[in-house]
Amino acid sequence: MPPSAFLRLVGLAVLLALSGCATAPDRRDPLEPFNRAMFQFNQDFDEGIARPLAKVYRDTVPAEVRKGVRNFFSNLGDVMVFANDALQLKWHDAINDAGRVMVNTTLGLGGLMDVASELGVEKRDEDFGQTLGYWGVPAGPYLVLPILGPSSARDAVGLVGDYYAWPVSRLDEEGVVWGLVVLRYVQGRADLLGTEGLLEQAALDRYVFMRDAYLQRRESLVRDGRAPKFDDD
């Protein structure tokens, strides 16, 4: 199954969630029964597959190689950041992003080294979900996606845009695409090893803690860190 087919399955999960769940007390999370079930599925997947695989990767791959992999995917991600800054008409930031990609792709040996950061070129965080929010598209209901985790109706749509802006999606070899997708996921999960205890210590209800943290962070990213405006009443 190609990654694009997986995205279609994610879309199907969104439709099933929107059509099959009753309203929950938290107005941001009307799909809570579905989301809690998906949250538990993701927890089981992480404990049984993702975390053990990430531990093997961390313990067998040298730190410098893992750093190079992290930088490589970060450089590819900067292409998506550039596209979304341009879509938000943030031309200064878009030029910054393009500079990062050019420097790291050339001087950084295809992105294996983050030369741009060493030169003081700021790394930014933008995606298509943020772009939709920038243009006024509401977040919609909170949504937990299979394997991918916390999201929202808007951000789930944004994932599709991000995938097609990701240079890997342009490759013709399906096996290579899937290999890079899995490697990116495992690298990201390996970077989170050792942080699970923070979640367990911080929350009696891990689902609620993760939901609130995700929604607050996404709101901050869409507003570029600015506080939300409230009506006088």
Side-chain angles (χ1 to χ4, degrees):
M1 181 176 64
S4 57
F6 177 75
L7 288 174
R8 288 195 290 272
L9 288 178
V10 169
L12 179 60
V14 173
L15 293 176
L16 290 174
L18 293 174
S19 63
C21 294
T23 301
D26 193 314
R27 62 182 178 81
R28 304 168 304 170
D29 190 9
L31 313 175
E32 185 172 343
F34 170 88
N35 285 334
R36 282 189 177 273
M38 192 57 64
F39 177 79
Q40 186 58 54
F41 169 82
N42 287 343
Q43 291 287 104
D44 294 340
F45 176 84
D46 184 70
E47 293 176 6
I49 299 177
R51 189 171 186 273
L53 188 59
K55 290 182 67 176
V56 171
Y57 173 78
R58 181 197 61 185
D59 294 341
T60 57
V61 178
E64 286 301 313
V65 175
R66 299 200 308 271
K67 182 179 180 181
V69 172
R70 186 184 306 112
N71 289 338
F72 174 76
F73 285 117
S74 177
N75 188 49
L76 293 180
D78 283 338
V79 176
M80 295 187 292
V81 175
F82 162 77
N84 283 288
D85 268 330
L87 288 171
Q88 296 174 40
L89 308 182
K90 298 176 180 177
W91 303 119
H92 179 272
D93 294 333
I95 292 173
N96 176 89
D97 304 328
R100 283 190 57 87
V101 173
M102 292 177 61
V103 169
N104 284 338
T105 302
T106 54
L107 301 181
L109 303 179
L112 295 177
M113 296 185 294
D114 187 1
V115 179
S117 291
E118 295 177 5
L119 295 175
V121 183
E122 178 187 6
K123 180 171 179 61
R124 294 180 47 74
D125 184 355
E126 296 285 353
D127 55 52
F128 195 58
Q130 291 172 243
T131 296
L132 293 174
Y134 176 86
W135 290 110
V137 177
Y142 177 68
L143 187 64
V144 180
L145 298 175
I147 301 178
L148 301 178
S151 186
S152 67
R154 180 185 66 204
D155 290 344
V157 173
L159 285 173
V160 178
D162 288 334
Y163 173 75
Y164 286 106
W166 195 36
V168 171
S169 69
R170 309 292 180 179
L171 299 177
D172 294 328
E173 292 293 331
E174 183 179 313
V176 174
V177 174
W178 265 119
L180 291 172
V181 168
V182 172
L183 179 59
R184 181 189 185 190
Y185 181 85
V186 173
Q187 173 65 58
R189 184 61 185 89
D191 288 340
L192 295 175
L193 289 173
T195 65
E196 299 94 334
L198 296 176
L199 180 61
E200 295 176 357
Q201 295 172 14
L204 295 176
D205 189 331
R206 288 186 292 175
Y207 170 82
V208 170
F209 180 85
M210 187 169 292
R211 177 191 66 194
D212 292 348
Y214 176 82
L215 293 175
Q216 290 171 20
R217 178 176 181 273
R218 292 300 294 177
E219 181 70 14
S220 176
L221 288 173
V222 168
R223 296 178 178 276
D224 291 330
R226 296 187 300 271
K229 296 181 180 179
F230 299 99
D231 295 334
D232 290 340
D233 58 359

